[in-house]
Short mmCIF file of all heavy atoms in Angstrom, two decimals:
data_model
loop_
_atom_site.label_atom_id
_atom_site.label_comp_id
_atom_site.label_asym_id
_atom_site.label_seq_id
_atom_site.Cartn_x
_atom_site.Cartn_y
_atom_site.Cartn_z
N MET A 18 118.53 96.62 82.46
CA MET A 18 117.90 96.64 83.78
C MET A 18 118.11 98.04 84.44
O MET A 18 117.26 98.57 85.11
CB MET A 18 118.44 95.55 84.75
CG MET A 18 117.80 95.58 86.05
SD MET A 18 118.41 94.18 87.17
CE MET A 18 120.03 94.73 87.43
N THR A 19 119.37 98.57 84.28
CA THR A 19 119.73 99.90 84.89
C THR A 19 118.83 100.93 84.28
O THR A 19 118.27 101.77 84.95
CB THR A 19 121.14 100.11 84.65
OG1 THR A 19 122.00 99.05 85.22
CG2 THR A 19 121.57 101.48 85.27
N ASN A 20 118.69 100.86 82.95
CA ASN A 20 117.85 101.87 82.27
C ASN A 20 116.37 101.77 82.70
O ASN A 20 115.72 102.77 82.97
CB ASN A 20 117.87 101.73 80.76
CG ASN A 20 119.30 102.21 80.16
OD1 ASN A 20 119.91 102.99 80.79
ND2 ASN A 20 119.70 101.56 79.08
N ASP A 21 115.94 100.55 82.73
CA ASP A 21 114.52 100.28 83.12
C ASP A 21 114.29 100.71 84.60
O ASP A 21 113.21 101.35 84.88
CB ASP A 21 114.09 98.87 82.95
CG ASP A 21 113.93 98.44 81.50
OD1 ASP A 21 113.84 99.32 80.66
OD2 ASP A 21 113.93 97.24 81.18
N TYR A 22 115.27 100.48 85.39
CA TYR A 22 115.05 100.84 86.83
C TYR A 22 114.99 102.38 86.96
O TYR A 22 114.24 102.92 87.75
CB TYR A 22 116.16 100.29 87.74
CG TYR A 22 115.96 100.86 89.19
CD1 TYR A 22 114.97 100.33 89.97
CD2 TYR A 22 116.66 101.93 89.67
CE1 TYR A 22 114.73 100.79 91.24
CE2 TYR A 22 116.51 102.45 90.89
CZ TYR A 22 115.49 101.90 91.69
OH TYR A 22 115.23 102.39 92.95
N GLY A 23 115.83 103.06 86.19
CA GLY A 23 115.82 104.56 86.18
C GLY A 23 114.43 105.08 85.77
O GLY A 23 113.96 106.01 86.44
N HIS A 24 113.73 104.48 84.81
CA HIS A 24 112.37 104.93 84.48
C HIS A 24 111.40 104.58 85.60
O HIS A 24 110.54 105.30 85.87
CB HIS A 24 111.93 104.14 83.13
CG HIS A 24 112.75 104.56 81.94
ND1 HIS A 24 112.64 105.81 81.39
CD2 HIS A 24 113.57 103.90 81.13
CE1 HIS A 24 113.41 105.92 80.34
NE2 HIS A 24 113.97 104.72 80.20
N LEU A 25 111.59 103.39 86.12
CA LEU A 25 110.68 102.92 87.27
C LEU A 25 110.85 103.85 88.49
O LEU A 25 109.87 104.32 89.06
CB LEU A 25 110.98 101.54 87.71
CG LEU A 25 110.21 101.10 88.92
CD1 LEU A 25 108.70 100.91 88.61
CD2 LEU A 25 110.70 99.81 89.43
N ALA A 26 112.01 104.34 88.78
CA ALA A 26 112.28 105.21 89.97
C ALA A 26 111.58 106.51 89.67
O ALA A 26 111.00 107.05 90.61
CB ALA A 26 113.81 105.44 90.06
N LEU A 27 111.70 107.07 88.45
CA LEU A 27 110.97 108.26 88.13
C LEU A 27 109.41 108.10 88.29
O LEU A 27 108.79 108.92 88.88
CB LEU A 27 111.25 108.73 86.70
CG LEU A 27 110.49 110.02 86.19
CD1 LEU A 27 110.86 111.23 87.03
CD2 LEU A 27 110.88 110.25 84.72
N GLN A 28 108.93 107.03 87.70
CA GLN A 28 107.41 106.85 87.73
C GLN A 28 107.05 106.52 89.21
O GLN A 28 105.98 106.89 89.56
CB GLN A 28 107.02 105.65 86.82
CG GLN A 28 107.26 105.98 85.35
CD GLN A 28 106.41 107.12 84.82
OE1 GLN A 28 105.27 107.22 85.25
NE2 GLN A 28 106.99 108.03 84.13
N GLY A 29 107.92 105.75 89.91
CA GLY A 29 107.60 105.43 91.38
C GLY A 29 107.49 106.71 92.13
O GLY A 29 106.62 106.74 93.06
N ARG A 30 108.42 107.65 91.86
CA ARG A 30 108.35 108.91 92.63
C ARG A 30 107.07 109.66 92.37
O ARG A 30 106.42 110.12 93.30
CB ARG A 30 109.58 109.79 92.26
CG ARG A 30 109.65 111.05 93.04
CD ARG A 30 110.91 111.90 92.78
NE ARG A 30 112.07 111.08 92.40
CZ ARG A 30 112.74 111.24 91.17
NH1 ARG A 30 112.40 112.18 90.36
NH2 ARG A 30 113.77 110.51 90.91
N LEU A 31 106.62 109.70 91.12
CA LEU A 31 105.33 110.26 90.77
C LEU A 31 104.11 109.63 91.36
O LEU A 31 103.24 110.17 91.94
CB LEU A 31 105.09 110.35 89.27
CG LEU A 31 106.15 111.22 88.50
CD1 LEU A 31 105.97 111.02 86.97
CD2 LEU A 31 106.02 112.69 88.90
N ALA A 32 104.20 108.25 91.37
CA ALA A 32 103.10 107.40 91.98
C ALA A 32 103.10 107.60 93.46
O ALA A 32 101.98 107.85 94.14
CB ALA A 32 103.29 105.94 91.65
N ALA A 33 104.24 107.66 94.11
CA ALA A 33 104.27 107.90 95.57
C ALA A 33 103.74 109.27 95.99
O ALA A 33 103.08 109.46 96.98
CB ALA A 33 105.70 107.70 96.07
N ALA A 34 104.06 110.25 95.14
CA ALA A 34 103.65 111.56 95.44
C ALA A 34 102.07 111.81 95.33
O ALA A 34 101.49 112.56 95.99
CB ALA A 34 104.21 112.62 94.50
N THR A 35 101.46 111.01 94.55
CA THR A 35 99.99 111.12 94.23
C THR A 35 99.20 110.04 94.99
O THR A 35 97.93 110.11 95.00
CB THR A 35 99.73 111.05 92.77
OG1 THR A 35 100.13 109.81 92.24
CG2 THR A 35 100.35 112.19 92.04
N ALA A 36 99.85 109.10 95.63
CA ALA A 36 99.15 107.98 96.36
C ALA A 36 98.47 108.53 97.50
O ALA A 36 98.90 109.37 98.29
CB ALA A 36 100.18 106.90 96.69
N GLU A 37 97.23 107.95 97.73
CA GLU A 37 96.41 108.14 98.90
C GLU A 37 96.14 106.88 99.54
O GLU A 37 95.76 105.91 98.86
CB GLU A 37 95.12 108.91 98.52
CG GLU A 37 95.31 110.39 98.15
CD GLU A 37 95.71 111.29 99.31
OE1 GLU A 37 95.40 111.00 100.42
OE2 GLU A 37 96.49 112.18 98.99
N PRO A 38 96.27 106.66 100.82
CA PRO A 38 96.80 107.57 101.83
C PRO A 38 98.34 107.72 101.72
O PRO A 38 99.00 106.94 100.95
CB PRO A 38 96.37 106.94 103.15
CG PRO A 38 96.23 105.50 102.80
CD PRO A 38 95.83 105.39 101.38
N GLU A 39 98.91 108.55 102.52
CA GLU A 39 100.37 108.80 102.39
C GLU A 39 101.16 107.53 102.71
O GLU A 39 102.28 107.40 102.20
CB GLU A 39 100.72 109.87 103.46
CG GLU A 39 100.51 111.29 103.00
CD GLU A 39 101.02 112.34 103.93
OE1 GLU A 39 102.13 112.11 104.47
OE2 GLU A 39 100.43 113.44 104.04
N GLU A 40 100.69 106.66 103.58
CA GLU A 40 101.46 105.48 103.84
C GLU A 40 101.70 104.59 102.68
O GLU A 40 102.63 103.86 102.51
CB GLU A 40 100.89 104.69 105.00
CG GLU A 40 99.51 103.99 104.72
CD GLU A 40 98.91 103.38 105.90
OE1 GLU A 40 98.76 104.07 106.97
OE2 GLU A 40 98.56 102.19 105.78
N ILE A 41 100.74 104.56 101.69
CA ILE A 41 100.90 103.82 100.47
C ILE A 41 102.02 104.52 99.66
O ILE A 41 102.87 103.79 99.09
CB ILE A 41 99.63 103.84 99.62
CG1 ILE A 41 98.42 103.14 100.36
CG2 ILE A 41 99.81 103.22 98.28
CD1 ILE A 41 98.67 101.66 100.53
N GLY A 42 102.07 105.82 99.63
CA GLY A 42 103.14 106.48 98.89
C GLY A 42 104.49 106.18 99.61
O GLY A 42 105.48 106.01 98.82
N PHE A 43 104.48 106.09 100.91
CA PHE A 43 105.77 105.70 101.62
C PHE A 43 106.22 104.34 101.13
O PHE A 43 107.35 104.03 100.97
CB PHE A 43 105.62 105.88 103.10
CG PHE A 43 106.74 105.55 103.91
CD1 PHE A 43 107.88 106.32 103.97
CD2 PHE A 43 106.85 104.21 104.55
CE1 PHE A 43 109.06 105.89 104.72
CE2 PHE A 43 107.90 103.80 105.26
CZ PHE A 43 109.09 104.67 105.36
N GLN A 44 105.20 103.38 101.16
CA GLN A 44 105.51 101.96 100.78
C GLN A 44 106.10 101.97 99.34
O GLN A 44 107.07 101.16 99.09
CB GLN A 44 104.28 101.12 100.86
CG GLN A 44 103.90 100.64 102.20
CD GLN A 44 102.76 99.66 102.13
OE1 GLN A 44 102.06 99.50 101.07
NE2 GLN A 44 102.50 98.99 103.18
N ILE A 45 105.45 102.72 98.53
CA ILE A 45 105.90 102.66 97.10
C ILE A 45 107.40 103.17 97.04
O ILE A 45 108.23 102.52 96.46
CB ILE A 45 105.03 103.51 96.22
CG1 ILE A 45 103.68 102.83 95.98
CG2 ILE A 45 105.72 103.71 94.78
CD1 ILE A 45 102.64 103.80 95.36
N ARG A 46 107.65 104.32 97.67
CA ARG A 46 109.01 104.91 97.70
C ARG A 46 109.99 103.95 98.30
O ARG A 46 111.10 103.71 97.71
CB ARG A 46 108.91 106.20 98.43
CG ARG A 46 110.08 107.12 98.35
CD ARG A 46 109.93 108.50 98.94
NE ARG A 46 109.04 108.56 100.10
CZ ARG A 46 107.77 109.07 99.99
NH1 ARG A 46 107.30 109.35 98.87
NH2 ARG A 46 107.00 109.19 101.05
N THR A 47 109.63 103.32 99.40
CA THR A 47 110.57 102.45 100.21
C THR A 47 110.85 101.16 99.31
O THR A 47 112.05 100.75 99.22
CB THR A 47 109.96 102.04 101.53
OG1 THR A 47 109.73 103.28 102.24
CG2 THR A 47 110.89 101.19 102.32
N ARG A 48 109.79 100.60 98.71
CA ARG A 48 110.03 99.29 97.95
C ARG A 48 110.75 99.63 96.69
O ARG A 48 111.55 98.75 96.29
CB ARG A 48 108.64 98.70 97.77
CG ARG A 48 108.08 98.12 99.06
CD ARG A 48 106.75 97.46 98.88
NE ARG A 48 106.36 96.95 100.14
CZ ARG A 48 105.14 96.40 100.36
NH1 ARG A 48 104.27 96.27 99.32
NH2 ARG A 48 104.82 95.93 101.46
N VAL A 49 110.53 100.72 96.00
CA VAL A 49 111.33 101.08 94.84
C VAL A 49 112.77 101.20 95.26
O VAL A 49 113.74 100.79 94.55
CB VAL A 49 110.75 102.36 94.13
CG1 VAL A 49 111.72 102.81 93.10
CG2 VAL A 49 109.42 102.01 93.44
N GLN A 50 113.09 101.90 96.42
CA GLN A 50 114.47 102.01 96.88
C GLN A 50 115.06 100.62 97.11
O GLN A 50 116.25 100.44 96.72
CB GLN A 50 114.56 102.93 98.06
CG GLN A 50 114.28 104.30 97.79
CD GLN A 50 114.14 105.19 99.04
OE1 GLN A 50 114.10 104.63 100.11
NE2 GLN A 50 114.19 106.50 98.84
N GLU A 51 114.29 99.81 97.78
CA GLU A 51 114.86 98.47 98.05
C GLU A 51 115.11 97.68 96.86
O GLU A 51 116.17 96.93 96.69
CB GLU A 51 113.86 97.69 99.00
CG GLU A 51 113.73 98.26 100.37
CD GLU A 51 112.65 97.64 101.17
OE1 GLU A 51 111.86 96.77 100.60
OE2 GLU A 51 112.53 97.95 102.32
N LEU A 52 114.27 97.85 95.80
CA LEU A 52 114.49 97.19 94.56
C LEU A 52 115.76 97.72 93.89
O LEU A 52 116.56 96.99 93.28
CB LEU A 52 113.27 97.43 93.59
CG LEU A 52 113.44 96.94 92.13
CD1 LEU A 52 113.73 95.46 92.17
CD2 LEU A 52 112.22 97.35 91.28
N GLY A 53 116.03 98.98 94.06
CA GLY A 53 117.20 99.64 93.54
C GLY A 53 118.41 99.04 94.17
O GLY A 53 119.42 98.71 93.46
N HIS A 54 118.42 98.80 95.44
CA HIS A 54 119.58 98.22 96.14
C HIS A 54 119.83 96.78 95.61
O HIS A 54 120.97 96.29 95.32
CB HIS A 54 119.35 98.21 97.64
CG HIS A 54 119.43 99.59 98.27
ND1 HIS A 54 120.49 100.42 98.18
CD2 HIS A 54 118.45 100.30 98.95
CE1 HIS A 54 120.28 101.53 98.83
NE2 HIS A 54 118.98 101.48 99.22
N GLY A 55 118.63 96.01 95.43
CA GLY A 55 118.78 94.63 94.90
C GLY A 55 119.41 94.65 93.47
O GLY A 55 120.14 93.85 93.14
N CYS A 56 118.98 95.61 92.65
CA CYS A 56 119.48 95.76 91.30
C CYS A 56 120.98 96.01 91.28
O CYS A 56 121.73 95.49 90.49
CB CYS A 56 118.75 96.86 90.60
SG CYS A 56 117.01 96.41 90.09
N ILE A 57 121.42 96.88 92.24
CA ILE A 57 122.85 97.23 92.34
C ILE A 57 123.65 95.96 92.59
O ILE A 57 124.62 95.66 91.99
CB ILE A 57 123.11 98.27 93.49
CG1 ILE A 57 122.58 99.60 93.00
CG2 ILE A 57 124.55 98.37 93.80
CD1 ILE A 57 122.56 100.68 94.10
N PHE A 58 123.14 95.08 93.62
CA PHE A 58 123.85 93.88 93.92
C PHE A 58 123.87 92.91 92.76
O PHE A 58 124.83 92.30 92.45
CB PHE A 58 123.20 93.22 95.14
CG PHE A 58 123.40 93.97 96.39
CD1 PHE A 58 122.30 94.15 97.27
CD2 PHE A 58 124.59 94.53 96.73
CE1 PHE A 58 122.45 94.83 98.49
CE2 PHE A 58 124.69 95.19 97.98
CZ PHE A 58 123.65 95.36 98.81
N LEU A 59 122.77 92.87 92.02
CA LEU A 59 122.64 92.06 90.82
C LEU A 59 123.59 92.40 89.74
O LEU A 59 124.32 91.56 89.21
CB LEU A 59 121.20 92.05 90.33
CG LEU A 59 120.85 91.04 89.17
CD1 LEU A 59 121.16 89.68 89.67
CD2 LEU A 59 119.43 91.20 88.72
N VAL A 60 123.73 93.71 89.42
CA VAL A 60 124.69 94.15 88.52
C VAL A 60 126.16 93.96 88.93
O VAL A 60 126.99 93.51 88.16
CB VAL A 60 124.46 95.67 88.21
CG1 VAL A 60 125.61 96.30 87.42
CG2 VAL A 60 123.14 95.90 87.51
N GLN A 61 126.41 94.06 90.28
CA GLN A 61 127.76 93.81 90.74
C GLN A 61 128.01 92.31 90.58
O GLN A 61 129.18 91.98 90.12
CB GLN A 61 127.89 94.12 92.25
CG GLN A 61 127.90 95.69 92.46
CD GLN A 61 127.89 96.06 93.91
OE1 GLN A 61 127.35 95.22 94.79
NE2 GLN A 61 128.24 97.24 94.24
N LYS A 62 127.18 91.45 90.86
CA LYS A 62 127.31 90.02 90.68
C LYS A 62 127.57 89.64 89.25
O LYS A 62 128.34 88.82 88.90
CB LYS A 62 126.24 89.17 91.32
CG LYS A 62 126.15 89.35 92.82
CD LYS A 62 127.47 88.85 93.52
CE LYS A 62 127.48 89.25 95.02
NZ LYS A 62 128.69 89.09 95.64
N ALA A 63 126.75 90.29 88.34
CA ALA A 63 126.91 90.11 86.91
C ALA A 63 128.30 90.53 86.47
O ALA A 63 128.95 89.80 85.69
CB ALA A 63 125.84 90.86 86.12
N GLY A 64 128.79 91.60 87.00
CA GLY A 64 130.14 92.04 86.63
C GLY A 64 131.21 91.08 87.16
O GLY A 64 132.15 90.78 86.41
N ALA A 65 131.01 90.59 88.37
CA ALA A 65 131.98 89.65 88.93
C ALA A 65 132.01 88.36 88.18
O ALA A 65 133.03 87.77 87.98
CB ALA A 65 131.58 89.37 90.40
#
């Protein structure tokens, strides 16, 4: 999941940069970041 999220974050950054209108790019960037935070919590709980 960590590896896949890293790839998604890179692709999400590219998608956000090319999205029209800009607010769609902002949504992509924000939602990918929120997903990243969720993945962090999930990995922490898996470790626990």
Side-chain angles (χ1 to χ4, degrees):
M18 183 180 65
T19 302
N20 289 332
D21 288 345
Y22 177 77
H24 294 294
L25 175 67
L27 175 63
Q28 295 299 317
R30 188 176 324 124
L31 297 173
T35 59
E37 288 292 328
E39 278 186 37
E40 68 185 52
I41 298 293
F43 178 76
Q44 277 185 350
I45 292 170
R46 192 170 29 261
T47 303
R48 290 179 177 176
V49 169
Q50 287 173 350
E51 290 171 355
L52 175 59
H54 293 298
C56 289
I57 290 169
F58 293 134
L59 186 59
V60 168
Q61 288 173 341
K62 294 303 173 189

